[in-house]
Amino acid sequence: MVARSRRIKEQDAWAKVVFPAAHERLKQAAAAMPPGTPAQPFIDALTELVQAQAGTTGFVVLHQWAEILGHFPTQLPDPDHTTD
């Protein structure tokens, strides 16, 4: 159990160093994509998801996932709409 705890701390420390650099590379790659590419909704969603993760020390919550995935061209239900 002690070894597992130590390993988790080591992984967290590693991720705190690696994540910002990977995030920056993602932003640069996304910015380099030509406008109107068919992959644009995916690029936008992935970039926004990584940005949301960068702004938290835990996990991106479900409602943020739903908002972010709203970049995809589908008709999503309106959470404020109620039926009788």
Side-chain angles (χ1 to χ4, degrees), residues 16-51:
K16 287 178 183 176
V17 171
V18 172
F19 183 85
H23 184 206
E24 187 58 36
R25 286 192 310 272
L26 172 67
K27 290 190 297 187
Q28 290 173 3
M33 293 302 295
T37 181
Q40 196 63 53
F42 176 75
I43 293 166
D44 292 344
L46 178 61
T47 303
E48 191 172 338
L49 178 60
V50 173
Q51 179 61 48

mmCIF file of all heavy atoms in Angstrom, residues 16-51:
data_model
loop_
_atom_site.group_PDB
_atom_site.id
_atom_site.type_symbol
_atom_site.label_atom_id
_atom_site.label_comp_id
_atom_site.label_asym_id
_atom_site.label_seq_id
_atom_site.Cartn_x
_atom_site.Cartn_y
_atom_site.Cartn_z
ATOM 1 N N LYS A 16 2.203 16.791 -13.598
ATOM 2 C CA LYS A 16 2.208 18.244 -13.403
ATOM 3 C C LYS A 16 3.304 18.920 -14.215
ATOM 4 O O LYS A 16 3.181 20.084 -14.568
ATOM 5 C CB LYS A 16 2.346 18.583 -11.922
ATOM 6 C CG LYS A 16 1.071 18.303 -11.155
ATOM 7 C CD LYS A 16 1.226 18.582 -9.681
ATOM 8 C CE LYS A 16 -0.075 18.208 -8.964
ATOM 9 N NZ LYS A 16 0.037 18.362 -7.521
ATOM 10 N N VAL A 17 4.357 18.187 -14.535
ATOM 11 C CA VAL A 17 5.427 18.722 -15.373
ATOM 12 C C VAL A 17 5.089 18.543 -16.853
ATOM 13 O O VAL A 17 5.265 19.450 -17.658
ATOM 14 C CB VAL A 17 6.772 18.022 -15.040
ATOM 15 C CG1 VAL A 17 7.842 18.403 -16.041
ATOM 16 C CG2 VAL A 17 7.206 18.355 -13.623
ATOM 17 N N VAL A 18 4.584 17.372 -17.215
ATOM 18 C CA VAL A 18 4.350 17.021 -18.607
ATOM 19 C C VAL A 18 3.089 17.674 -19.178
ATOM 20 O O VAL A 18 3.067 18.105 -20.330
ATOM 21 C CB VAL A 18 4.289 15.484 -18.760
ATOM 22 C CG1 VAL A 18 3.864 15.076 -20.147
ATOM 23 C CG2 VAL A 18 5.642 14.890 -18.416
ATOM 24 N N PHE A 19 2.015 17.756 -18.392
ATOM 25 C CA PHE A 19 0.734 18.241 -18.903
ATOM 26 C C PHE A 19 0.808 19.639 -19.507
ATOM 27 O O PHE A 19 0.298 19.847 -20.624
ATOM 28 C CB PHE A 19 -0.333 18.180 -17.808
ATOM 29 C CG PHE A 19 -1.701 18.591 -18.295
ATOM 30 C CD1 PHE A 19 -2.533 17.672 -18.915
ATOM 31 C CD2 PHE A 19 -2.148 19.890 -18.148
ATOM 32 C CE1 PHE A 19 -3.789 18.041 -19.369
ATOM 33 C CE2 PHE A 19 -3.396 20.269 -18.602
ATOM 34 C CZ PHE A 19 -4.218 19.335 -19.212
ATOM 35 N N PRO A 20 1.417 20.623 -18.849
ATOM 36 C CA PRO A 20 1.439 21.963 -19.454
ATOM 37 C C PRO A 20 2.128 21.988 -20.824
ATOM 38 O O PRO A 20 1.658 22.665 -21.743
ATOM 39 C CB PRO A 20 2.200 22.810 -18.439
ATOM 40 C CG PRO A 20 1.990 22.108 -17.137
ATOM 41 C CD PRO A 20 1.981 20.638 -17.488
ATOM 42 N N ALA A 21 3.199 21.242 -20.969
ATOM 43 C CA ALA A 21 3.903 21.213 -22.256
ATOM 44 C C ALA A 21 3.045 20.525 -23.321
ATOM 45 O O ALA A 21 2.967 20.998 -24.465
ATOM 46 C CB ALA A 21 5.247 20.504 -22.099
ATOM 47 N N ALA A 22 2.408 19.434 -22.968
ATOM 48 C CA ALA A 22 1.539 18.732 -23.912
ATOM 49 C C ALA A 22 0.349 19.602 -24.287
ATOM 50 O O ALA A 22 -0.066 19.645 -25.449
ATOM 51 C CB ALA A 22 1.076 17.410 -23.308
ATOM 52 N N HIS A 23 -0.192 20.317 -23.317
ATOM 53 C CA HIS A 23 -1.313 21.221 -23.569
ATOM 54 C C HIS A 23 -0.900 22.313 -24.559
ATOM 55 O O HIS A 23 -1.640 22.655 -25.493
ATOM 56 C CB HIS A 23 -1.782 21.821 -22.235
ATOM 57 C CG HIS A 23 -2.980 22.684 -22.359
ATOM 58 N ND1 HIS A 23 -3.241 23.692 -21.467
ATOM 59 C CD2 HIS A 23 -3.990 22.730 -23.258
ATOM 60 C CE1 HIS A 23 -4.361 24.308 -21.817
ATOM 61 N NE2 HIS A 23 -4.825 23.745 -22.891
ATOM 62 N N GLU A 24 0.274 22.846 -24.381
ATOM 63 C CA GLU A 24 0.764 23.885 -25.287
ATOM 64 C C GLU A 24 0.951 23.335 -26.697
ATOM 65 O O GLU A 24 0.584 23.990 -27.676
ATOM 66 C CB GLU A 24 2.076 24.480 -24.768
ATOM 67 C CG GLU A 24 2.561 25.668 -25.547
ATOM 68 C CD GLU A 24 1.564 26.818 -25.609
ATOM 69 O OE1 GLU A 24 0.844 27.078 -24.626
ATOM 70 O OE2 GLU A 24 1.487 27.469 -26.683
ATOM 71 N N ARG A 25 1.492 22.136 -26.818
ATOM 72 C CA ARG A 25 1.665 21.529 -28.142
ATOM 73 C C ARG A 25 0.308 21.305 -28.815
ATOM 74 O O ARG A 25 0.164 21.518 -30.023
ATOM 75 C CB ARG A 25 2.428 20.203 -28.035
ATOM 76 C CG ARG A 25 3.909 20.380 -27.752
ATOM 77 C CD ARG A 25 4.703 19.099 -27.936
ATOM 78 N NE ARG A 25 4.150 17.941 -27.265
ATOM 79 C CZ ARG A 25 4.416 17.579 -26.008
ATOM 80 N NH1 ARG A 25 5.227 18.323 -25.270
ATOM 81 N NH2 ARG A 25 3.881 16.494 -25.482
ATOM 82 N N LEU A 26 -0.678 20.892 -28.043
ATOM 83 C CA LEU A 26 -2.027 20.695 -28.584
ATOM 84 C C LEU A 26 -2.585 22.013 -29.112
ATOM 85 O O LEU A 26 -3.141 22.073 -30.219
ATOM 86 C CB LEU A 26 -2.959 20.111 -27.524
ATOM 87 C CG LEU A 26 -4.435 20.050 -27.924
ATOM 88 C CD1 LEU A 26 -4.644 19.044 -29.054
ATOM 89 C CD2 LEU A 26 -5.296 19.709 -26.738
ATOM 90 N N LYS A 27 -2.456 23.081 -28.331
ATOM 91 C CA LYS A 27 -2.966 24.385 -28.764
ATOM 92 C C LYS A 27 -2.274 24.845 -30.047
ATOM 93 O O LYS A 27 -2.930 25.363 -30.954
ATOM 94 C CB LYS A 27 -2.797 25.427 -27.656
ATOM 95 C CG LYS A 27 -3.722 25.199 -26.477
ATOM 96 C CD LYS A 27 -3.731 26.351 -25.493
ATOM 97 C CE LYS A 27 -2.398 26.583 -24.856
ATOM 98 N NZ LYS A 27 -2.428 27.589 -23.773
ATOM 99 N N GLN A 28 -0.977 24.636 -30.135
ATOM 100 C CA GLN A 28 -0.238 25.035 -31.332
ATOM 101 C C GLN A 28 -0.675 24.214 -32.545
ATOM 102 O O GLN A 28 -0.853 24.757 -33.633
ATOM 103 C CB GLN A 28 1.266 24.894 -31.103
ATOM 104 C CG GLN A 28 1.815 25.910 -30.137
ATOM 105 C CD GLN A 28 3.271 25.665 -29.779
ATOM 106 O OE1 GLN A 28 3.914 24.758 -30.295
ATOM 107 N NE2 GLN A 28 3.799 26.474 -28.866
ATOM 108 N N ALA A 29 -0.848 22.922 -32.355
ATOM 109 C CA ALA A 29 -1.280 22.058 -33.459
ATOM 110 C C ALA A 29 -2.690 22.439 -33.912
ATOM 111 O O ALA A 29 -2.968 22.475 -35.115
ATOM 112 C CB ALA A 29 -1.229 20.596 -33.033
ATOM 113 N N ALA A 30 -3.564 22.726 -32.967
ATOM 114 C CA ALA A 30 -4.931 23.114 -33.314
ATOM 115 C C ALA A 30 -4.936 24.433 -34.081
ATOM 116 O O ALA A 30 -5.676 24.589 -35.061
ATOM 117 C CB ALA A 30 -5.782 23.226 -32.052
ATOM 118 N N ALA A 31 -4.102 25.362 -33.669
ATOM 119 C CA ALA A 31 -4.040 26.662 -34.343
ATOM 120 C C ALA A 31 -3.461 26.539 -35.753
ATOM 121 O O ALA A 31 -3.779 27.348 -36.629
ATOM 122 C CB ALA A 31 -3.207 27.638 -33.520
ATOM 123 N N ALA A 32 -2.651 25.532 -35.979
ATOM 124 C CA ALA A 32 -2.020 25.352 -37.283
ATOM 125 C C ALA A 32 -2.937 24.672 -38.305
ATOM 126 O O ALA A 32 -2.629 24.661 -39.499
ATOM 127 C CB ALA A 32 -0.742 24.528 -37.130
ATOM 128 N N MET A 33 -4.056 24.142 -37.851
ATOM 129 C CA MET A 33 -4.980 23.463 -38.766
ATOM 130 C C MET A 33 -5.658 24.496 -39.667
ATOM 131 O O MET A 33 -6.050 25.566 -39.199
ATOM 132 C CB MET A 33 -6.042 22.690 -37.985
ATOM 133 C CG MET A 33 -5.488 21.523 -37.197
ATOM 134 S SD MET A 33 -4.630 20.301 -38.189
ATOM 135 C CE MET A 33 -5.950 19.692 -39.194
ATOM 136 N N PRO A 34 -5.811 24.172 -40.951
ATOM 137 C CA PRO A 34 -6.476 25.118 -41.848
ATOM 138 C C PRO A 34 -7.945 25.278 -41.464
ATOM 139 O O PRO A 34 -8.589 24.312 -41.051
ATOM 140 C CB PRO A 34 -6.335 24.480 -43.233
ATOM 141 C CG PRO A 34 -5.978 23.054 -42.998
ATOM 142 C CD PRO A 34 -5.385 22.956 -41.621
ATOM 143 N N PRO A 35 -8.481 26.479 -41.589
ATOM 144 C CA PRO A 35 -9.891 26.697 -41.263
ATOM 145 C C PRO A 35 -10.798 25.828 -42.136
ATOM 146 O O PRO A 35 -10.496 25.565 -43.294
ATOM 147 C CB PRO A 35 -10.115 28.177 -41.562
ATOM 148 C CG PRO A 35 -8.770 28.782 -41.717
ATOM 149 C CD PRO A 35 -7.813 27.673 -42.058
ATOM 150 N N GLY A 36 -11.891 25.389 -41.548
ATOM 151 C CA GLY A 36 -12.883 24.634 -42.291
ATOM 152 C C GLY A 36 -12.568 23.165 -42.476
ATOM 153 O O GLY A 36 -13.282 22.475 -43.198
ATOM 154 N N THR A 37 -11.514 22.670 -41.856
ATOM 155 C CA THR A 37 -11.194 21.257 -41.978
ATOM 156 C C THR A 37 -12.336 20.422 -41.403
ATOM 157 O O THR A 37 -12.962 20.833 -40.422
ATOM 158 C CB THR A 37 -9.851 20.922 -41.286
ATOM 159 O OG1 THR A 37 -9.581 19.538 -41.453
ATOM 160 C CG2 THR A 37 -9.883 21.227 -39.814
ATOM 161 N N PRO A 38 -12.650 19.274 -41.998
ATOM 162 C CA PRO A 38 -13.751 18.450 -41.474
ATOM 163 C C PRO A 38 -13.550 18.019 -40.024
ATOM 164 O O PRO A 38 -14.512 17.753 -39.314
ATOM 165 C CB PRO A 38 -13.762 17.236 -42.405
ATOM 166 C CG PRO A 38 -13.113 17.693 -43.653
ATOM 167 C CD PRO A 38 -12.096 18.736 -43.233
ATOM 168 N N ALA A 39 -12.310 17.993 -39.585
ATOM 169 C CA ALA A 39 -12.013 17.584 -38.207
ATOM 170 C C ALA A 39 -12.184 18.734 -37.211
ATOM 171 O O ALA A 39 -11.982 18.537 -36.011
ATOM 172 C CB ALA A 39 -10.594 17.027 -38.114
ATOM 173 N N GLN A 40 -12.571 19.911 -37.681
ATOM 174 C CA GLN A 40 -12.632 21.086 -36.798
ATOM 175 C C GLN A 40 -13.487 20.884 -35.548
ATOM 176 O O GLN A 40 -13.061 21.265 -34.464
ATOM 177 C CB GLN A 40 -13.094 22.323 -37.565
ATOM 178 C CG GLN A 40 -12.807 23.613 -36.819
ATOM 179 C CD GLN A 40 -11.315 23.840 -36.625
ATOM 180 O OE1 GLN A 40 -10.556 23.807 -37.580
ATOM 181 N NE2 GLN A 40 -10.893 24.071 -35.403
ATOM 182 N N PRO A 41 -14.681 20.287 -35.638
ATOM 183 C CA PRO A 41 -15.451 20.088 -34.406
ATOM 184 C C PRO A 41 -14.705 19.225 -33.379
ATOM 185 O O PRO A 41 -14.739 19.501 -32.188
ATOM 186 C CB PRO A 41 -16.730 19.396 -34.877
ATOM 187 C CG PRO A 41 -16.869 19.809 -36.302
ATOM 188 C CD PRO A 41 -15.448 19.894 -36.821
ATOM 189 N N PHE A 42 -14.014 18.193 -33.849
ATOM 190 C CA PHE A 42 -13.241 17.344 -32.946
ATOM 191 C C PHE A 42 -12.071 18.119 -32.345
ATOM 192 O O PHE A 42 -11.817 18.043 -31.141
ATOM 193 C CB PHE A 42 -12.719 16.113 -33.684
ATOM 194 C CG PHE A 42 -11.831 15.250 -32.836
ATOM 195 C CD1 PHE A 42 -12.377 14.443 -31.851
ATOM 196 C CD2 PHE A 42 -10.465 15.264 -33.009
ATOM 197 C CE1 PHE A 42 -11.564 13.655 -31.047
ATOM 198 C CE2 PHE A 42 -9.646 14.482 -32.214
ATOM 199 C CZ PHE A 42 -10.200 13.676 -31.230
ATOM 200 N N ILE A 43 -11.377 18.882 -33.170
ATOM 201 C CA ILE A 43 -10.244 19.683 -32.698
ATOM 202 C C ILE A 43 -10.709 20.674 -31.636
ATOM 203 O O ILE A 43 -10.082 20.821 -30.586
ATOM 204 C CB ILE A 43 -9.572 20.414 -33.878
ATOM 205 C CG1 ILE A 43 -8.917 19.397 -34.813
ATOM 206 C CG2 ILE A 43 -8.564 21.446 -33.391
ATOM 207 C CD1 ILE A 43 -8.535 19.973 -36.170
ATOM 208 N N ASP A 44 -11.828 21.355 -31.910
ATOM 209 C CA ASP A 44 -12.366 22.324 -30.947
ATOM 210 C C ASP A 44 -12.743 21.657 -29.632
ATOM 211 O O ASP A 44 -12.431 22.167 -28.556
ATOM 212 C CB ASP A 44 -13.585 23.036 -31.526
ATOM 213 C CG ASP A 44 -13.254 23.947 -32.692
ATOM 214 O OD1 ASP A 44 -12.060 24.277 -32.893
ATOM 215 O OD2 ASP A 44 -14.195 24.326 -33.414
ATOM 216 N N ALA A 45 -13.419 20.511 -29.721
ATOM 217 C CA ALA A 45 -13.854 19.822 -28.508
ATOM 218 C C ALA A 45 -12.662 19.318 -27.707
ATOM 219 O O ALA A 45 -12.624 19.479 -26.480
ATOM 220 C CB ALA A 45 -14.788 18.664 -28.862
ATOM 221 N N LEU A 46 -11.698 18.718 -28.379
ATOM 222 C CA LEU A 46 -10.523 18.211 -27.664
ATOM 223 C C LEU A 46 -9.746 19.342 -27.010
ATOM 224 O O LEU A 46 -9.356 19.247 -25.843
ATOM 225 C CB LEU A 46 -9.615 17.434 -28.628
ATOM 226 C CG LEU A 46 -8.333 16.885 -28.011
ATOM 227 C CD1 LEU A 46 -8.650 15.907 -26.874
ATOM 228 C CD2 LEU A 46 -7.486 16.214 -29.076
ATOM 229 N N THR A 47 -9.563 20.430 -27.739
ATOM 230 C CA THR A 47 -8.837 21.579 -27.197
ATOM 231 C C THR A 47 -9.559 22.153 -25.978
ATOM 232 O O THR A 47 -8.936 22.465 -24.954
ATOM 233 C CB THR A 47 -8.649 22.658 -28.284
ATOM 234 O OG1 THR A 47 -7.969 22.072 -29.391
ATOM 235 C CG2 THR A 47 -7.856 23.833 -27.764
ATOM 236 N N GLU A 48 -10.860 22.272 -26.069
ATOM 237 C CA GLU A 48 -11.635 22.811 -24.953
ATOM 238 C C GLU A 48 -11.641 21.863 -23.756
ATOM 239 O O GLU A 48 -11.559 22.284 -22.603
ATOM 240 C CB GLU A 48 -13.061 23.113 -25.388
ATOM 241 C CG GLU A 48 -13.838 23.912 -24.363
ATOM 242 C CD GLU A 48 -15.186 24.371 -24.878
ATOM 243 O OE1 GLU A 48 -15.396 24.465 -26.094
ATOM 244 O OE2 GLU A 48 -16.044 24.652 -24.018
ATOM 245 N N LEU A 49 -11.713 20.568 -24.035
ATOM 246 C CA LEU A 49 -11.682 19.582 -22.955
ATOM 247 C C LEU A 49 -10.344 19.621 -22.215
ATOM 248 O O LEU A 49 -10.303 19.616 -20.976
ATOM 249 C CB LEU A 49 -11.931 18.181 -23.504
ATOM 250 C CG LEU A 49 -11.886 17.046 -22.490
ATOM 251 C CD1 LEU A 49 -12.941 17.241 -21.411
ATOM 252 C CD2 LEU A 49 -12.061 15.716 -23.187
ATOM 253 N N VAL A 50 -9.265 19.693 -22.955
ATOM 254 C CA VAL A 50 -7.945 19.764 -22.321
ATOM 255 C C VAL A 50 -7.813 21.064 -21.533
ATOM 256 O O VAL A 50 -7.267 21.075 -20.423
ATOM 257 C CB VAL A 50 -6.820 19.602 -23.365
ATOM 258 C CG1 VAL A 50 -5.453 19.850 -22.752
ATOM 259 C CG2 VAL A 50 -6.873 18.201 -23.976
ATOM 260 N N GLN A 51 -8.343 22.164 -22.063
ATOM 261 C CA GLN A 51 -8.320 23.431 -21.330
ATOM 262 C C GLN A 51 -9.120 23.323 -20.041
ATOM 263 O O GLN A 51 -8.696 23.810 -19.001
ATOM 264 C CB GLN A 51 -8.867 24.572 -22.196
ATOM 265 C CG GLN A 51 -8.891 25.910 -21.496
ATOM 266 C CD GLN A 51 -7.514 26.380 -21.074
ATOM 267 O OE1 GLN A 51 -6.584 26.344 -21.864
ATOM 268 N NE2 GLN A 51 -7.376 26.811 -19.843
#
